[in-house]
Each structure stands twice: as C-alpha cells, then as structure tokens.
Amino acid sequence: MTYSFRLSALACASLASLSFSNAWAQNAAPSAPGEIVITGNPLGRDSTTVPVSTMGRAELLERGQSTLGETLNGLPAVSSTYFGPNASRPTIRGLDGDRIRVLNNSASSLDASALSYDHAVPLDVLSTDRVEVLRGPAALLYGGSAVGGVVNVIDNRIPREAVSGVLGKAQLQAGKGNDERSVAGLVEAGNERYALHLDGFDRRTGDVRVPVALDCTKPGAPANARRICNSASTARGGAIGASTFWDHGYLGASVNTYQSDYGTVAEDEVTIGMKTTRYALEGQVRQLPGWFDSVKARLSHTDYQHTEFEGAEAGTVFANKGQDLRIEARHRPLAGWQGVVGLQTESSRFSAVGDEAFAPFSRTRSQALFVHEELPTAWGQLTAGARWESVRVESLGNPELDRFDEGIGTHKFTPFSLATGAVFKLSPAWSVTGNAALTQRAPKDYELFANGPHLATHAWEIGNKDLGLEKSKSLDAGVQWKSGPNNANLTAFASQFDNYIGLMNSQDVEDDLPVQRYQGVKAQFKGLEANGRQRLWQSTSTLDLDWRADTVRATNTRTGEALPRIAPMRVGATLVYGQGPWNAKLGADWHAAQKRVPEGSVATYDYTLVNASVSYRQKHDATVLHWFVRLNNLTDQLAYSASSILTSTAFGKSPLPGRSVKLGVQATF
C-alpha cells in the first residue's frame, strides 16, 4: 500500500493523497495516471498531486459494508459512529456529525443522517464506482461542515466520458455472519456523442451474529440468542442517466432512488423506512476564450423522507427537501498561479412530524464564494484559498407541538475561512508538508432549535438560539519517504476550537429523560497518524508488510474533561501476498482501551480484530471475473466501539459483529 502525502490548502490543512492497502483499506490502488479526482483538486490533477484517498470498485467489492461508516472504518484517523450494522457515518480525527461533509459526486448528499446517530446515509457501495476521503478541514471548497473532512461517494450515473459500445458489471455476494444476500448490476452504452447509464441493486441482511447471547423482546425473535436484536435490513435502489458530448464539453442528467427498511437496534421493535429520490444535472465547457479556460456546473434536487415505526404503527416522520447548485470556473495561469473560483448555493426545508420530533420545522439557505490557487515551484508547491459564506437558518415551529413556539425566528451567519500550505521536496525519496487553516462553521438548525425527546441519545435535547459561529484553528505537519515499493509516512495534527458546539450533560430531567443542551465550549483535538509498506520478498510472487497506527486526543479545555466518543489508539499490520491473479491477506488490528471518557460515558476495554481475505481474477474473452472470500473477526472477539453512542446509552445491545465470512464475485464486460 502506498500513502502519499501532498500538501494543499484546498484541504484546509488536510493531509495528503493516500492510497490504501491494508486490513483497514483492503488493497486500494492509486488512481490511474490521468484519472480526474473530483474531490481533492478542482484543477483535475491526477493522484500524484491530489490530496485525496481513493477506493475503487475492487476495494469496495471486497471490504464494502452495508453502511458508509463501516466501509471506511479503520482507515488512518477514520472511525465510525456505529449505531449497529445499519446506521453509521464516518468519524474523522475525532470529529463527526455536521463536521464531516458527505458528498455524492461532489454535491451535497441531502438527508437526515447528521441529525441522529440512528439515521442512515442513503448511499450504498453496491452502486458506487469509488469513494474519496479527504482528512482534515476542507472548508474552502465544501463549507464549514467539512472542518473534519470530506467523504465523496462517486458514481457514473451522469456519464462524464464517451462510451464506445456496451459495457457493464454484475455482482453477487453472500454473507454468513449477517445472512447477507445482495445483487447489483450496471449497464452503460453509447457512442462518441451520446451515453446512457442504467444501474440497480438489492441488499438483504438478517440479524447480525455476535460472540455473546443478547436479550431480545421483538416478536418472533429468539429471546436470548447470539444475534443483535432488530438488526436486519433491506436496501434497494437504481438510477438512469444520460449525457451528450461535443468537442469541448458535455451535458448530462440523472435520476436515482434509494429505499431502505432497517432495525434501529437500540429499541427492539423500532424500525425505519427510508426513501430518497435525487435529480441531478451536470455539465462542463472547456477551452473557452478569455480569462477562464473551463466552467463546470452541477445542479441537484433531493427529496428525502423516513418514517420511524413502532411495530406496525407509524411514528415520527422526518423529511428533508432541497437543492444544491455548484459552479467552478478554472482561470488561465496568472503570474504562475493556477486555480479556480466558484459559487455554491444550497437550500433545504426540514420537517419532523410526530410526538418524538425533537427539532422543529426549519428552512436553511446558504450562498458561498470560494477560490483555490496553486503555485508550482522548483522545490515543491504552494497552495492558498479562501471561502466566504452567507447562511440563513429559520425555525418555522411545528403546528402540532407548541414547545417549539418560543424559538420561532431567523438567524444569520457569515462564516469565513482561510488556508495555506506547502510541500517541500527534500530529495527524490523525502518530502515534508505543512498546512494551516482558520475555519468557521454556522450552527445547524437542530443545534439552535432542538427541544424534545431523542431516543437515539436517550436524552431530552435542547438547542441554544444564542449560539455563534464555531471557529477553529488547525495545523498539521507531515514527512514522507518512498523508495520503490517501500514507503513510510508520519503526520501530526492539532485543532483548537474557540466555540466547539457540543451536546453537554446537565442536572435537569424532562419526562424521565436526562436533559442535554447544545453549548459552545473551548476544545482541542490533537493526534498522530503513521503508516507504510515494507517489501519482504519479491520473485515470481511478492510479500509485503503493511503497517499503520493512529491516535487522537480530544479535550474540553474549559473543564479539562475528555470529549465523548473518541476512538482509542489503534495499531495494526497486514501481510499481503500476491502471485499472478491471486492475492491473499492476513492482518490484525489492536484497539487500545478507551478509559479517557467524560462523566456519564462508558469506558471500553482493549481488543484485537483479525481479518483475512483471498481473491482471484479470472478472464474469459472480454469478461473478467473477480472472485473473493473475506473472513472478519476470525477469533470471534467480543468488542464495543468507543466512538458509538450505544456503548454509553445501550451498553450490551450492540457489540461489534462477531466472526463472519463473505463470498462474492463481480463480472465486468
């Protein structure tokens, strides 16, 4: 595996480009030369200069889970919120929720997943071409909600390049630990002028096996079994898209739908039925006359809704509808500087109807201007950028619940962010990087206006309409060494928040629930990330050792107390064997005990997870078959996630999955 770090202010003090190949990141290869990486660099650089990590189809096939968070969990400084096997968002460098920006094709993935830990991200890796992960604050391009990082889920539902003839893929998977059965297919056809895309998937899972027997009161389920009660799920979706091409650009459109029904695990009889439909329009014009060389634009509309069922009875209904417009214009070189200027507008309207609605109806609108510039030099590269936003958050109350009447009103914010960085090439093998960023984030609607019971956190949550901007200062420094197949990387990072908005415990009680209030506090995050590869043997076959480690420490500097849900130190290694079409891996990852937790949270003990996989590529004429088998948690270790709220609110309800095996094959033609 290769992790390559390059500095970029675009990442606003992020790390640099990585490619994955370890037990955490199952053999993700670097992007092919010339491949455009959308998230990391608007100038269209390839992976040798773009500060993003890429997981392609092969990696997603082998390590893909039913949630985005668990698919990415274990990458350096990346953990997950893990609300059971069906709802999980990525956590990066200890930051989660609305500090991690989840994108779909570089546009906002409008949903309600950041609102509550039991709300799933409506994206499935079965329909995904690749996932890019940008660590560190990326506010310049994607706003204050990207202060922790960006996760971009990319598909080809709007074809961006001409397709010659007909191509496609079909995929089958079966799992033992969760009784998974999944199928997915994709077909693309076209000529030099037109291209058509069709895809669909269906995933079904049962209750997840764990190493210990758990109580279950769900009707029809065993009362005491080695399964996570109410963890079964179904997910299905599909899309149609088309594009037209000309000599210097393209224009395309798509519509896709995603539906899911899953158990929430914290309550034995509560399930969620989710449906989202997304319409998108995208185009680019290149080789323009004048100041700008090219202009790219994306417009999307999303209609999201999910219903929480108690048994067969419908309960609270959450809905979120909105639009996202993003325009990027690349200018011609000016005094050696190359870059883009951009405009982004977003609007959304949120509602929650039902007795357990803990946030009011609301409307959020934002407009932003941003610029990103790069200056190549003889010794490396300089980058710089800025982003200005205007955010308007309005509470509309709730016609059925008068407890939201007091907060009705509009709040306006103007976040502004700056960043700069540099990469220094000390020699062909050695380089060092440094980044600095000042970022600001506007509080979200629920942070301002919440007032109600939230069963996912087992608390009565109350917002704070007097909250101001969340402000942070970030620094990181890294060193990279690469020689042939061998490499090593070390990065240190630190972020200081002047007004970190968090849900804080109080001594109050409402309707037999402890009251938690959103407050702004001073906070500090700091940590280390290290990884590398060492070639142990090379002849007709190869044997490599991939190693990695990370740690993060997060503190409420007002009280000196630890912040909640921080992943502990992790250390791991994987042996990677390759010979011709065969590839085999055996790895182990040790997670330290997390005893540094705030009052009211549950400490976790240390554990080690052992994983293994074997894959084989088989070619028949124009068809390539990729067979694989993956074994997770070989020792059937009982473990609990320190970054999951369930560990504190429903300890014992949802341990990490036990021993499991997954078989699969993907055919491409």
Side-chain angles (χ1 to χ4, degrees), residues 471-550:
K471 301 177 181 180
S472 64
K473 304 171 185 176
S474 301
L475 294 170
D476 71 43
V479 58
Q480 174 198 358
W481 170 78
K482 179 175 174 56
S483 177
N486 305 310
N487 65 82
N489 307 275
L490 174 66
T491 299
F493 62 87
S495 295
Q496 186 76 41
F497 287 82
D498 293 334
N499 187 39
Y500 180 85
I501 300 173
L503 196 57
M504 306 299 174
N505 294 326
S506 73
Q507 301 300 317
D508 301 327
V509 176
E510 184 78 29
D511 280 1
D512 297 325
L513 291 173
V515 172
Q516 295 182 335
R517 302 177 186 274
Y518 282 100
Q519 299 178 23
V521 301
K522 291 184 179 296
Q524 183 183 71
F525 291 75
K526 56 185 178 181
L528 293 170
E529 304 161 358
N531 57 273
R533 161 169 284 195
Q534 180 65 44
R535 176 64 51 88
L536 303 178
W537 169 263
Q538 181 170 348
S539 60
T540 57
S541 60
T542 59
L543 181 64
D544 296 306
L545 176 67
D546 290 339
W547 56 271
R548 62 267 174 191
D550 63 38

Side-chain angles (χ1 to χ4, degrees), residues 394-669:
E394 181 181 4
S395 171
L396 305 176
N398 187 316
E400 298 180 357
L401 299 171
D402 58 9
R403 64 172 178 259
F404 297 112
D405 291 348
E406 183 180 348
I408 291 177
T410 301
H411 296 251
K412 299 179 181 180
F413 306 92
T414 55
F416 183 70
S417 301
L418 292 169
T420 187
V423 58
F424 300 89
K425 294 290 295 183
L426 303 179
S427 70
W430 289 91
S431 63
V432 295
T433 63
N435 298 272
L438 301 175
T439 61
Q440 297 181 346
R441 179 180 75 89
K444 304 298 290 187
D445 50 354
Y446 59 88
E447 294 171 329
L448 293 165
F449 310 127
N451 186 12
H454 190 184
L455 298 185
T457 59
H458 191 66
W460 188 284
E461 296 185 3
I462 297 179
N464 183 350
K465 62 182 180 181
D466 296 323
L467 288 173
L469 291 172
E470 182 178 82
K471 301 177 181 180
S472 64
K473 304 171 185 176
S474 301
L475 294 170
D476 71 43
V479 58
Q480 174 198 358
W481 170 78
K482 179 175 174 56
S483 177
N486 305 310
N487 65 82
N489 307 275
L490 174 66
T491 299
F493 62 87
S495 295
Q496 186 76 41
F497 287 82
D498 293 334
N499 187 39
Y500 180 85
I501 300 173
L503 196 57
M504 306 299 174
N505 294 326
S506 73
Q507 301 300 317
D508 301 327
V509 176
E510 184 78 29
D511 280 1
D512 297 325
L513 291 173
V515 172
Q516 295 182 335
R517 302 177 186 274
Y518 282 100
Q519 299 178 23
V521 301
K522 291 184 179 296
Q524 183 183 71
F525 291 75
K526 56 185 178 181
L528 293 170
E529 304 161 358
N531 57 273
R533 161 169 284 195
Q534 180 65 44
R535 176 64 51 88
L536 303 178
W537 169 263
Q538 181 170 348
S539 60
T540 57
S541 60
T542 59
L543 181 64
D544 296 306
L545 176 67
D546 290 339
W547 56 271
R548 62 267 174 191
D550 63 38
T551 184
V552 60
R553 184 182 180 92
T555 304
N556 179 340
T557 55
R558 186 185 66 181
T559 64
E561 191 175 45
L563 290 173
R565 299 179 301 280
I566 302 300
M569 180 175 67
R570 305 178 299 188
V571 178
T574 299
L575 287 171
V576 182
Y577 174 81
Q579 183 175 32
W582 290 95
N583 184 272
K585 301 172 186 175
L586 176 64
D589 295 287
W590 174 73
H591 300 242
Q594 181 57 286
K595 298 180 180 179
R596 190 174 182 272
V597 297
E599 183 179 355
S601 296
V602 175
T604 57
Y605 51 80
D606 68 297
Y607 59 90
T608 300
L609 298 180
V610 180
N611 302 314
S613 68
V614 177
S615 65
Y616 176 73
R617 288 185 176 273
Q618 183 179 15
K619 187 172 183 179
H620 293 283
D621 298 326
T623 301
V624 177
L625 298 177
H626 181 170
W627 302 86
F628 79 92
V629 56
R630 177 176 171 85
L631 296 93
N632 295 314
N633 196 358
L634 285 175
T635 62
D636 209 25
Q637 172 79 64
L638 177 64
Y640 291 89
S641 170
S643 56
S644 170
I645 196 169
L646 289 176
T647 302
S648 295
T649 61
F651 185 78
K653 294 286 290 185
S654 189
L656 295 178
R659 183 187 298 116
S660 67
V661 59
K662 179 182 284 189
L663 302 168
V665 59
Q666 183 183 86
T668 59
F669 58 89

Side-chain angles (χ1 to χ4, degrees), residues 98-118:
D98 273 297
R99 297 178 186 89
I100 305 300
R101 186 73 150 151
V102 178
L103 305 174
N104 185 199
N105 297 317
S106 296
S108 174
S109 175
L110 193 67
D111 53 50
S113 62
L115 177 69
S116 178
Y117 295 106
D118 61 336

